[in-house]
Amino acid sequence: MAGENALPISECPDSICSVMCKTFDAGTTTDNTGPWFYCERDTIIDAAFAVSNDADADLTFDVKHAPSGTAVASATSVLSAVMAVTTADTTVTGSLTTTTNLVPAGSWVFIVVAGTADDTTAVASVQVRCRTRIR
C-alpha cells in the first residue's frame, strides 16, 4: 500500500483527548530530565499521573514545558507540586497549575525525575492527558 503526504499542522484536526505515557527504569534515577514530546500547536495538559512499583517519597516526577532551544532548568512546571509515589503500585494524581498548563506551540514537554528509588528494579510510568482545542 502506498503512503500518503503528511498534512501541514495548519490543516490537522484538533486533538480532543490524547493520552501520552512514558515508562522508564527508575532504579538509579537522579535528576533525570529528558524531552518527552514536541507541541506543534498550542497544547493544554488537562491531567498528569504517576505510578511506580517502588514506594519511595524521595522519587518524584514533574511535568514541565519550555520553548525549543531553552534549557530544562528554565522550563515551566505545569504542576503545583511534584508527584511523589509514596505507596507502591498506587496512582498519584498531579495537581495542575491552570496558569501554566497551556504549552505554547513550538515547545517541548519534559518529565523531570528526581531522587533515587529504594528498589534498583523500580519501574515508573508517567502519563498526561492533553488536547489542542482551547475552550
Side-chain angles (χ1 to χ4, degrees), residues 3-134:
E4 184 173 337
N5 291 335
L7 287 173
I9 193 62
S10 60
E11 294 180 26
C12 287
D14 290 330
S15 174
I16 303 303
C17 182
S18 294
V19 175
M20 309 289 287
C21 186
K22 184 173 184 178
T23 302
F24 47 88
D25 175 2
T28 57
T29 302
T30 303
D31 296 327
N32 180 11
T33 59
W36 186 10
F37 62 91
Y38 182 71
C39 298
E40 292 182 278
R41 302 171 71 169
D42 287 351
T43 302
I44 299 92
I45 295 178
D46 283 324
F49 308 96
V51 67
S52 176
N53 64 332
D54 182 48
D56 185 356
D58 179 49
L59 184 61
T60 63
F61 306 90
D62 198 358
V63 179
K64 296 186 174 195
H65 64 83
S68 182
T70 303
V72 72
S74 300
T76 302
S77 180
V78 301
L79 303 176
S80 59
V82 295
M83 297 181 287
V85 179
T86 56
T87 305
D89 304 314
T90 301
T91 303
V92 176
T93 302
S95 297
L96 294 173
T97 301
T98 56
T99 56
T100 60
N101 70 328
L102 190 147
V103 181
S107 297
W108 281 94
V109 174
F110 298 85
I111 295 179
V112 178
V113 183
T116 303
D118 291 333
D119 181 354
T120 58
T121 62
V123 176
S125 183
V126 175
Q127 173 181 304
V128 297
R129 187 177 73 242
C130 54
R131 60 187 162 89
T132 58
R133 180 178 288 174
I134 300 172

